[in-house]
Amino acid sequence: MVYENPDGVKIGLEIHVQLNKLNTKMFCGCSTDYHDAEPNTHTCPVCLGLPGALPVLNREVVKAAIKVGLALEGEIAEETQFHRKNYFYPDLPRGFQTTQYDYPIVSTGKVVIEGEDGEHEVGIWRAHMEDDPGKLVHIGSIEKSKGVLIDYNRSGMPLIETVTAPDMRTPKEARRFLDKFRNILEYLDVFDGNLEGAMRMDANVSVYGGTRVEVKNISSHKGVEKALLYEIMRQKNVIRRGGEITQETRHFDEARGVTIGMRTKEEAEDYRYFREPDLMPMKVSDWIPGIKETLPELPDAKRSRFIEQYGIADMHAKALTSKIMLADFYEGVCKEATDPKQASTWIADVLLGELNYRDLVIASYDGSAIGCFNDKDHSITNSAKVSDMVELVALFTDGKISDRAAVEVIRTILDSEEEKTPTEIVEEKGLFKAEDDLVTKAVSEAIAENEAAVQDYLGGAEKSLNFLVGQVMKKTKGTADAKTAREMLVKELKG
């Protein structure tokens, strides 16, 4: 199937990623661990832009940028340098941002995503280093704010801005790109995506090959998808009414789900770029071979290895490698579990589904358990242990519990405040698989008590069999194996 893109939608992204796993800021020694600190307590003359303060480049930022570029299969510059991007804004006390202009550290590259018509390649135009401005805190909404507070703790945080080609054709593809991009960065261990402001996106979108509009400073992948859906609809409506699309920068109001015009779009010449006189050009070609050796196994390579090494399905391998912590957790289970295929099913299908249902995002893996971040209250919890999953797989493959009982065990582990092993949960809740005699008795009773369903099934209504299986499961309190119950019912009904 080839996706036709009937509205001629073109989407490009500019993604600002904070390298918040580095200990110090980009041009000074201030700590990057400011997220729970009082405002304006992680600052110094350099990140406040006080007169006479000179920047000293953190070399680890350059190494991380090269690492990202190599992971994106980009071309790394042999020599690179910084520029001043001049503009006035209250969160930028120097009056300029230190960034890169015509010699970015990374040029070209690509990321392969799951597109509307199969695998789809999104080109990378460039990735460059720059420092973060401070943070404006509006009192009220950005439209009707009664005042603005400024927190400079963020000022000087190292950023990598990555600019994609307009290769995405739907909001869903844009979200998939962001998921994959974040996944790669987490594999590289250069940032923690759960921290506020770790990743901020600008989305450029046009329809029918017309003028593009930029929606700026969106803080979530879901927000990007929603903003693009609204903006595409708005642009189509403007054109349908005979209007013209204006090249402008818009704000996305997440609460109302709408974009709001802010200003006309600036061009590069508006910023009067010039070379940063306080930072010398850098020759980094000698760094590249050594950094290349430190690259970890990346998501696509790990996915292929999982399929080959553990013999698991592609969809399971894709899910398990969607986060480095989840991939490590699975491999931790595989070291002890005798059936990697069963382990992949219970982790990728059931455990991951139950975590998503509870708004839990996997945030860590310490070798024995995964820790999760609660998207609602921002708490951290240990959600599942390797030993629990190994024990659960063994109970299931040994035929001691049914698939329904196994799901119940996983739900209990996630919801209970008490730490209990799968075996303890099975014993406490009476989830051991029912004896054959009990299932045989339940099958006979289900048939005898549901004459209408029996007749419907015998008349060709296959759905009625599901009802009868449900009755057997109910009578055995979920301890029967559903597949076995179905087979016994069919045998009994058809003779």
Side-chain angles (χ1 to χ4, degrees):
M1 181 192 77
V2 177
Y3 180 65
E4 299 290 346
N5 195 9
D7 299 323
V9 173
K10 287 186 178 181
I11 298 169
L13 297 170
E14 297 175 19
I15 308 144
H16 297 78
V17 174
Q18 271 190 352
L19 301 174
N20 52 27
K21 283 210 165 181
L22 302 183
N23 294 322
T24 54
K25 292 185 179 179
M26 192 158 178
F27 298 118
C28 64
C30 288
S31 167
T32 55
D33 186 18
Y34 69 86
H35 289 84
D36 294 323
E38 290 293 316
N40 299 310
T41 54
H42 285 237
T43 59
C44 72
V46 173
C47 50
L48 287 175
L50 298 183
L54 295 175
V56 177
L57 178 63
N58 181 349
R59 289 165 64 93
E60 295 304 314
V61 175
V62 185
K63 291 178 182 175
I66 293 173
K67 208 171 178 181
V68 172
L70 291 171
L72 298 177
E73 299 182 45
E75 185 176 335
I76 311 300
E78 293 191 355
E79 293 186 6
T80 187
Q81 64 182 53
F82 286 98
H83 278 69
R84 290 185 179 183
K85 180 181 180 182
N86 296 276
Y87 65 98
F88 172 76
Y89 215 62
D91 61 5
L92 194 64
R94 291 194 305 263
F96 64 86
Q97 184 179 27
T98 305
T99 184
Q100 296 194 289
Y101 184 49
D102 49 1
Y103 294 97
I105 189 79
V106 180
S107 56
T108 74
K110 66 178 181 181
V111 172
V112 177
I113 64 168
E114 195 68 32
E116 300 293 346
D117 45 4
E119 287 199 337
H120 181 70
E121 188 175 301
V122 177
I124 303 295
W125 275 350
R126 61 183 280 155
H128 62 260
M129 300 173 283
E130 62 185 24
D131 60 349
D132 216 351
K135 179 183 176 184
L136 298 181
V137 182
H138 295 275
I139 303 172
S141 71
I142 194 170
E143 285 181 287
K144 300 176 181 177
S145 179
K146 295 177 181 176
V148 180
L149 304 172
I150 309 175
D151 179 2
Y152 288 112
N153 278 348
R154 200 177 73 179
S155 179
M157 282 292 289
L159 292 178
I160 292 179
E161 179 178 351
T162 302
V163 183
T164 78
D167 288 340
M168 289 151 279
R169 303 159 294 179
T170 65
K172 199 173 286 296
E173 283 191 348
R175 185 168 177 180
R176 287 174 186 158
F177 173 85
L178 290 168
D179 290 343
K180 184 72 174 284
F181 184 61
R182 172 174 169 160
N183 190 16
I184 292 170
L185 295 173
E186 286 177 340
Y187 270 66
L188 297 175
D189 199 27
V190 295
F191 97 129
D192 180 352
N194 292 316
L195 294 176
E196 184 201 359
M199 212 166 158
R200 307 191 298 276
M201 287 70 68
D202 303 338
N204 292 288
V205 57
S206 64
V207 298
Y208 309 128
T211 304
R212 69 184 167 91
V213 169
E214 181 182 50
V215 186
K216 214 162 173 58
N217 272 333
I218 313 171
S219 58
S220 70
H221 299 190
K222 190 188 294 183
V224 169
E225 186 178 6
K226 286 182 177 178
L228 287 168
L229 281 168
Y230 176 85
E231 188 53 30
I232 290 168
M233 180 184 69
R234 186 191 70 81
Q235 291 186 26
K236 286 167 62 178
N237 285 338
V238 169
I239 293 169
R240 189 167 58 240
R241 290 194 294 266
E244 291 185 2
I245 303 299
T246 307
Q247 185 168 333
E248 62 178 337
T249 297
R250 297 179 72 85
H251 165 71
F252 178 57
D253 185 328
E254 292 211 41
R256 292 190 292 156
V258 300
T259 65
I260 304 158
M262 294 173 67
R263 59 180 186 267
T264 55
K265 171 71 178 166
E266 296 91 346
E267 299 295 344
E269 54 268 27
D270 296 324
Y271 291 111
R272 297 180 294 110
Y273 284 95
F274 61 83
R275 290 184 181 184
E276 167 58 67
D278 294 330
L279 293 165
M280 297 294 289
M282 295 172 289
K283 183 179 180 183
V284 296
S285 54
D286 295 344
W287 302 15
I288 299 170
I291 295 171
K292 194 176 283 184
E293 289 179 5
T294 69
L295 281 182
E297 182 182 40
L298 292 168
D300 289 344
K302 195 179 286 288
R303 174 182 156 197
S304 299
R305 178 171 66 80
F306 276 14
I307 293 170
E308 184 178 343
Q309 183 174 345
Y310 300 117
I312 64 177
D314 181 55
M315 67 174 185
H316 287 155
K318 198 180 293 181
L320 292 168
T321 55
S322 63
K323 271 192 168 291
I324 179 67
M325 291 80 84
L326 183 65
D328 289 344
F329 177 73
Y330 171 67
E331 295 224 86
V333 173
C334 285
K335 284 179 184 171
E336 299 180 47
T338 54
D339 193 333
K341 279 189 179 179
Q342 282 294 342
S344 73
T345 300
W346 287 106
I347 295 173
D349 287 347
V350 184
L351 177 62
L352 206 51
E354 294 292 331
L355 292 176
N356 289 337
Y357 176 74
R358 290 162 179 75
D359 288 320
L360 293 175
V361 179
I362 295 172
S364 66
Y365 172 64
D366 64 4
S368 62
I370 49 173
C372 287
F373 177 80
N374 191 313
D375 247 359
K376 284 186 175 174
D377 62 15
H378 294 181
S379 60
I380 298 287
T381 178
N382 275 338
S383 298
K385 295 177 182 174
V386 167
S387 56
D388 287 344
M389 197 52 63
V390 170
E391 194 175 324
L392 178 87
V393 171
L395 286 168
F396 182 78
T397 54
D398 290 347
K400 293 180 179 176
I401 59 174
S402 67
D403 51 358
R404 182 178 290 196
V407 172
E408 178 64 24
V409 170
I410 289 176
R411 288 175 177 167
T412 305
I413 288 172
L414 295 179
D415 295 336
S416 175
E417 293 183 359
E418 293 182 68
E419 285 197 12
K420 292 181 179 175
T421 67
T423 301
E424 288 171 339
I425 294 169
V426 168
E427 287 174 345
E428 188 177 281
K429 296 198 169 191
L431 297 175
F432 279 114
K433 194 179 278 186
E435 299 292 336
D436 288 348
D437 288 350
L438 179 62
V439 182
T440 303
K441 181 170 177 283
V443 166
S444 298
E445 289 177 358
I447 291 173
E449 294 169 7
N450 298 280
E451 180 61 25
V454 169
Q455 291 306 319
D456 287 346
Y457 173 69
L458 293 176
E462 283 288 328
K463 286 183 180 177
S464 296
L465 185 61
N466 295 335
F467 171 77
L468 292 170
V469 172
Q471 294 303 303
V472 173
M473 298 306 289
K474 190 175 176 183
K475 287 177 180 296
T476 58
K477 297 180 180 175
T479 57
D481 179 71
K483 185 181 174 188
T484 303
R486 176 179 286 270
E487 290 170 354
M488 291 173 71
L489 278 165
V490 171
K491 185 177 178 183
E492 195 71 21
L493 291 169
K494 292 189 173 177

